[in-house]
């Protein structure tokens, strides 16, 4: 009987892999949706079989649901990543996660009904439904961790096994399915009192499945596709993790919010959110951080003489010059009206003064009013920690020096007393 079950075990694995890899291989003709749907509808069956259906094999009593189908799903997710990218593979990961949460929620609502019986003894088994609900929640959480973990581990192994794609595929399966077996067995033991002996049998079966799937993966890669998948992804693992967790969508949304509509610079709200954190991080690393505040001289005269639309053009021109001069790590904000603030990490006071003078000079020599008159700016510069250990204190010091620059005749830079001022 054990040998027959083992043969069926192998046939199930081959059948699952063949079907899924066929859908994956022809995804450009059939659409990726067929592969993703097939992958998703198996999850309930996998969880159900893992809870109640076990068969004896030569290496122990195991469940095909866990050892064949769940193991196959995880390896298929890795294959999808290899043939597409992190932005594509996150679709089934989050689809499964949300779909299973929805299934559990509906199962909970169903328990509020008062169902009838179509025939004696054939009523709904709510006890089983409750147990399955908890198991599916736990299995869903594990699948999420497994799916992201197997991809990140694959890329990490690429540092040491750059061109050994099949070996990396197998090692990732061994590692993540061992992790999953430990986590999932604890749940089925708690909910269904599955004996401890099943843990080792299930673990051996999953390792056997990984070997089967790896062999079929090798045949597919080197036999059917006739070329290997990309052996090494040059992107940092942090970027891949960002794709898997939608971090890049958040960063993109963040980059497009808190922008000043007129100039395209970050606005005062973003300044108040980001500047304290930038200064705190710089000080934590033992670096200087300089704050530069600029104000367009006699800007009210520009608005009064040429109108607000021409005044807006002048502000946009100033913002453009600022953006062209500042460095990659510097951040520029529109503080309000004709005032702008730059946060410059890893910049001491002397460097900050030189940068501010370059900004002042560039604007004075490239921005003009409609009648050709030079537009100038007054600039105040302050640096943490000499001028304060918080954004508020450093900005206040820079602001005081800005008004000193205006009192000194405008079109000049003022920094801390004792250092050169320019104009």
């Amino acid at each position: 009987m054990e040998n027959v079950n083992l043969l069926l075990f192998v046939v199930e694995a081959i059948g699952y892999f063949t079907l899924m890899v066929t859908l994956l291989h022809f995804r450009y003709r059939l659409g990726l949706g067929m592969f993703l749907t097939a992958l998703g509808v198996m999850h309930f069956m996998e969880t159900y079989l893992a809870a109640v259906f076990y068969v004896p094999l030569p290496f122990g009593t195991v469940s095909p649901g866990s050892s064949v189908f769940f193991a196959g799903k995880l390896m298929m997710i890795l294959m999808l990543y290899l043939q597409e990218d992190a932005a594509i593979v996150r679709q089934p990961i989050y689809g499964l996660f949300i779909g299973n949460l929805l299934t559990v929620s509906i199962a909970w609502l169903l328990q509020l009904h008062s169902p009838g019986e179509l025939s004696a003894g054939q009523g709904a088994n709510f006890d089983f439904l409750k147990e399955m609900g908890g198991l599916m929640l736990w299995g869903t959480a594990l699948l999420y961790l497994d799916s992201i973990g197997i991809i990140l581990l694959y890329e990490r192994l690429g540092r040491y096994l750059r061109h050994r794609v099949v070996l990396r595929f197998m090692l990732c399966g061994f590692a993540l399915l061992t992790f999953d077996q430990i986590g999932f067995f604890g749940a089925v033991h708690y909910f269904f009192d599955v004996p401890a002996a099943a843990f080792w049998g299930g673990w051996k079966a999953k390792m056997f499945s990984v070997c089967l799937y790896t062999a079929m993966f090798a045949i597919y890669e080197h036999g059917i596709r006739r070329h290997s998948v990309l052996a090494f992804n040059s992107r940092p693992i942090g970027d891949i993790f960002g794709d898997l967790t939608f971090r890049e969508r958040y960063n993109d949304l963040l980059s497009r919010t808190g922008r000043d509509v007129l100039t395209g610079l970050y606005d005062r709200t973003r300044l108040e959110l980001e500047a304290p954190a930038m200064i705190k991080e710089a000080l934590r690393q033992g670096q200087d951080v300089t704050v530069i505040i600029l104000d367009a001289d006699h800007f009210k005269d520009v608005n009064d003489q040429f109108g607000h639309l021409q005044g807006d053009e002048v502000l946009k021109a100033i913002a453009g010059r600022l953006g062209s001069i500042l460095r990659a790590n510097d951040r520029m904000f529109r503080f309000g009206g004709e005032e702008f603030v730059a946060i410059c990490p890893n910049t001491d006071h002397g460097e900050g003064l030189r940068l501010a003078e370059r900004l002042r000079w560039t604007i004075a020599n490239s921005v003009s009013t409609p009648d050709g008159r030079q537009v100038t700016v007054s600039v105040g510069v302050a640096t943490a920690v000499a001028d304060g250990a918080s954004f508020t204190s450093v900005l206040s010091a820079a602001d005081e020096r800005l008004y000193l620059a205006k009192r000194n005749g405008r079109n000049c830079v003022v920094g801390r007393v004792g250092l050169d001022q320019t104009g």
Side-chain angles (χ1 to χ4, degrees), residues 10-227:
V10 174
V11 170
E12 289 163 356
I14 294 174
Y16 181 88
F17 183 90
T18 302
L19 173 63
M20 298 304 296
V21 83
T22 299
L23 293 175
L24 184 59
H25 185 72
F26 291 104
R27 63 195 180 282
Y28 296 118
R29 297 183 184 180
L30 303 175
L32 192 59
M34 294 184 66
F35 172 83
L36 299 181
T37 301
L39 199 66
V41 297
M42 287 294 294
H43 191 74
F44 183 85
M45 178 62 72
E46 295 161 10
T47 307
Y48 172 77
L49 292 176
V52 301
F53 186 77
Y54 286 76
V55 296
L57 294 179
F59 37 74
T61 301
V62 302
S63 170
S66 177
S67 303
V68 176
F69 301 121
F70 181 83
K73 170 180 286 180
L74 193 58
M75 306 312 287
M76 284 297 111
I77 287 174
L78 180 56
M79 279 194 67
L80 177 62
Y81 168 73
L82 295 178
Q83 299 189 35
E84 294 288 344
D85 54 35
I88 294 296
V89 78
R90 70 187 178 196
Q91 296 179 32
I93 293 174
Y94 285 90
L96 289 166
F97 186 79
I98 294 172
N100 290 330
L101 292 181
L102 181 61
T103 299
V104 172
S105 299
I106 292 175
W108 179 80
L109 286 174
L110 289 175
Q111 296 175 49
L112 302 179
H113 285 283
S114 298
E117 292 187 2
L118 294 179
S119 59
Q122 297 299 315
N125 186 345
F126 283 124
D127 290 336
F128 178 75
L129 200 60
K130 292 177 182 177
E131 293 170 342
M132 280 296 295
L135 190 62
M136 284 194 67
L137 277 176
W138 180 238
T140 298
L142 281 176
L143 177 62
Y144 177 79
L145 297 176
D146 293 340
S147 301
I148 292 179
I150 199 170
I151 292 169
L152 297 180
L153 179 59
Y154 177 86
E155 292 299 342
R156 179 65 68 181
L157 289 175
R159 295 184 176 184
Y160 314 102
L161 304 169
R162 178 183 291 265
H163 300 293
R164 306 295 296 275
V165 176
V166 174
L167 178 59
R168 287 159 62 189
F169 184 87
M170 180 175 67
L171 292 177
C172 289
F174 286 157
L176 269 297
L177 284 167
T178 297
F179 166 79
D180 182 82
Q181 179 67 7
I182 294 171
F184 192 77
F185 177 81
V188 295
H189 178 73
Y190 175 81
F191 284 111
F192 299 99
D193 199 28
V194 175
F199 170 82
W200 293 108
W203 178 78
K204 293 175 184 176
K206 285 182 176 179
M207 300 303 101
F208 180 68
S209 293
V210 170
C211 293
L212 287 176
Y213 288 127
T214 301
M216 290 184 282
F217 170 71
I219 293 171
Y220 173 71
E221 280 300 316
H222 301 295
I224 299 176
R225 280 167 56 92
R226 290 188 171 84
H227 67 276

Side-chain angles (χ1 to χ4, degrees), residues 271-272 275-276 279 291 335 341 343 389-396:
L271 172 69
E272 293 173 350
I279 290 179
V291 174
F335 192 52
V341 172
I343 310 297
S390 69
F391 170 62
T392 301
S393 59
V394 179
L395 180 65
S396 178

Side-chain angles (χ1 to χ4, degrees), residues 230-368:
L230 181 65
F232 183 72
N233 193 325
S234 59
R235 298 179 65 208
I237 288 183
D239 289 350
I240 297 171
F241 179 76
D243 285 349
L244 291 171
T245 56
F246 288 88
R247 179 72 185 180
E248 99 288 355
R249 293 285 183 89
Y250 167 76
N251 288 337
D252 179 63
L253 177 63
L254 186 63
S255 70
R256 289 184 285 108
T257 57
R259 292 276 188 179
D260 175 59
V261 176
L262 176 65
T263 63
L265 301 177
Y266 294 117
D267 61 18
R268 184 165 180 168
T269 299
R270 284 288 291 271
L271 172 69
E272 293 173 350
L273 288 173
E274 295 189 9
M278 293 176 69
I279 290 179
K280 182 178 180 180
E281 177 61 19
L283 296 183
R284 186 187 68 81
Q285 296 181 15
Q287 299 175 349
D288 293 317
V289 55
T290 291
V291 174
I292 301 173
I293 183 167
L294 307 91
D295 185 89
D297 297 328
H298 303 298
F299 185 73
K300 183 177 183 300
D301 295 344
V302 177
N303 281 334
D304 291 343
Q305 185 174 355
F306 303 104
H308 288 280
L309 291 180
Q310 289 298 328
D312 289 347
E313 292 302 316
V314 170
L315 290 177
K316 287 193 286 186
I318 292 174
R321 302 306 185 275
L322 297 175
S324 68
I325 298 297
L326 291 174
R327 303 155 303 183
N329 291 333
D330 300 332
R331 299 297 292 273
M332 175 59 71
F333 305 84
R334 186 181 180 191
F335 192 52
E338 63 273 21
E339 287 189 333
F340 302 86
V341 172
I343 310 297
C344 306
N346 198 22
T347 303
D348 63 28
H349 200 66
E351 292 172 322
L353 286 172
R354 291 189 290 273
L355 178 60
E357 170 57 18
R358 187 180 176 194
L359 294 171
R360 184 205 64 79
W361 185 92
T362 300
I363 292 169
N365 288 275
S366 63
V367 180
S368 60

